[in-house]
Amino acid sequence: AHSCVLASASPVLERMIDRARRGWGADCTIRVLGVSFDAVRAFLHFLYSAKVAPEEEELVGAHGAQLLALAHAYRVGWLKRAAEAAVSARLTPERAVDMLKLARLCDARRLYLRCARLAAKDFSAVERSDGWRFARRHDAALQLELLQLLEDADQRKERWARERAAQEACRQLGEAMASLDHIFPSDGPARGDAPCDKAGCTCRGLQLLMRHFATCARKAAPGGCARCKRMLQLFRLHASVCDRPDKACRVPLCR
């Protein structure tokens, strides 16, 4: 009966039990090496219960790394996911290198990414850990892999910063284009320097910039005026997308 329970919980145990029965009778001893007795007992408990109850989450956390290795070796998918989540939730910089190596051996992608993010966030603490010192002396491949992960994380941060800056520039240009349409409506007189009564409208700053553009003597000088250059760029952008007839558009320099 116990053999049937274990065989139904793990395909690896099922093959081991079946092979033992075919070879030398009903007696079968399975030796589980490399982990503590308490971890094996917890592993067997979860094989019989087939779930992790809320009150048993501390037990998973106490033996998380060993349960992850056992669940991977014996192909118990649900327990592997529970152990991976427990190890990820309790991860510290001091254990990041060790858990990164375990995640690579056990094909635990979620834990692998969590270790990489933690190392990128607090690499100074990771460098002081025993795992990093061991990797520097005895596992150059792991050290190189971690450094590559850190470099990739820095590149992602730079790419996200550029994307955010581009989005912010597009937002500001959109507001400026909307302000031009508000100052020079197609179905009414231009506002000119008249104050705007629309809540949250930013057209007043654009009105002041256009007044400066109209009177600035430096815009034709060598080097020009930075404010006038920005205003001219905005006029060019408007002209490139304006779909009004030439005589209907009152925005300066549109024609």
Side-chain angles (χ1 to χ4, degrees), residues 209-235:
L209 190 59
M210 284 190 294
R211 181 189 300 175
H212 168 83
F213 179 81
T215 59
C216 180
R218 292 179 53 201
K219 62 175 176 281
C225 172
R227 297 174 65 187
C228 292
K229 287 180 180 179
R230 287 198 296 270
M231 193 68 244
L232 187 58
Q233 288 173 349
L234 183 58
F235 285 150

Side-chain angles (χ1 to χ4, degrees), residues 1 4 14 33 50 55 75 82 91 133 137 163 180 197 207 232 245 250:
C4 291
E14 181 182 17
L33 306 177
E55 61 272 13
R75 294 176 59 187
L91 191 63
R133 287 193 289 268
R137 290 194 296 267
E163 290 176 356
L180 276 179
D197 54 359
Q207 289 173 338
L232 187 58
R250 299 187 178 90

Side-chain angles (χ1 to χ4, degrees), residues 70-84:
L70 288 170
H72 175 72
Y74 292 96
R75 294 176 59 187
V76 186
W78 67 267
L79 183 57
K80 178 180 176 180
R81 291 188 293 271
E84 184 180 6

Side-chain angles (χ1 to χ4, degrees), residues 32-248:
V32 183
L33 306 177
V35 292
S36 66
F37 171 80
D38 291 336
V40 176
R41 184 166 57 181
F43 178 64
L44 287 175
H45 167 75
F46 289 123
L47 290 185
Y48 276 84
S49 62
K51 65 178 181 179
V52 178
E55 61 272 13
E56 295 173 336
E57 292 180 356
E58 287 299 324
L59 181 61
V60 179
H63 305 288
Q66 298 179 80
L67 286 176
L68 175 60
L70 288 170
H72 175 72
Y74 292 96
R75 294 176 59 187
V76 186
W78 67 267
L79 183 57
K80 178 180 176 180
R81 291 188 293 271
E84 184 180 6
V87 174
S88 299
R90 293 166 174 80
L91 191 63
T92 61
E94 292 73 20
R95 300 183 64 200
V97 177
D98 295 330
M99 293 301 102
L100 179 71
K101 188 171 185 177
L102 176 65
R104 185 177 59 178
L105 293 173
C106 296
D107 193 23
R109 185 63 180 172
R110 177 180 175 182
L111 178 59
Y112 186 89
L113 295 176
R114 178 78 176 92
C115 293
R117 285 195 294 266
L118 184 60
K121 182 179 179 181
D122 194 1
F123 184 64
S124 59
V126 172
E127 280 187 309
R128 296 192 298 269
S129 66
D130 293 336
W132 176 258
R133 287 193 289 268
F134 179 86
R136 289 185 61 183
R137 290 194 296 267
H138 306 290
D139 198 341
L142 178 62
Q143 181 188 14
L144 181 62
E145 181 179 358
L146 184 55
L147 292 175
Q148 183 63 46
L149 288 173
L150 296 177
E151 184 179 357
D152 293 342
D154 291 338
Q155 291 177 353
R156 282 196 301 271
K157 288 181 181 179
E158 293 177 358
R159 185 173 66 252
W160 292 340
R162 290 195 299 268
E163 290 176 356
R164 285 195 296 269
Q167 291 174 358
E168 178 63 18
C170 290
R171 185 191 64 80
Q172 293 177 359
L173 283 174
E175 289 183 354
M177 297 291 287
S179 296
L180 276 179
D181 292 336
H182 184 59
I183 296 172
F184 301 98
S186 58
D187 55 353
R191 301 189 64 87
D193 290 338
C196 180
D197 54 359
K198 185 179 179 181
C201 185
T202 59
C203 64
R204 183 57 181 168
L206 194 57
Q207 289 173 338
L208 296 176
L209 190 59
M210 284 190 294
R211 181 189 300 175
H212 168 83
F213 179 81
T215 59
C216 180
R218 292 179 53 201
K219 62 175 176 281
C225 172
R227 297 174 65 187
C228 292
K229 287 180 180 179
R230 287 198 296 270
M231 193 68 244
L232 187 58
Q233 288 173 349
L234 183 58
F235 285 150
R236 285 175 175 164
L237 178 61
H238 166 82
S240 66
V241 299
C242 180
D243 56 356
R244 301 175 186 173
D246 289 342
K247 295 183 179 179

Side-chain angles (χ1 to χ4, degrees), residues 3 13 16-17 20-21 24-32:
S3 296
L13 289 174
M16 295 173 71
I17 293 170
R21 283 176 173 172
W24 33 274
D27 294 335
C28 178
T29 300
I30 297 175
R31 302 189 182 278
V32 183

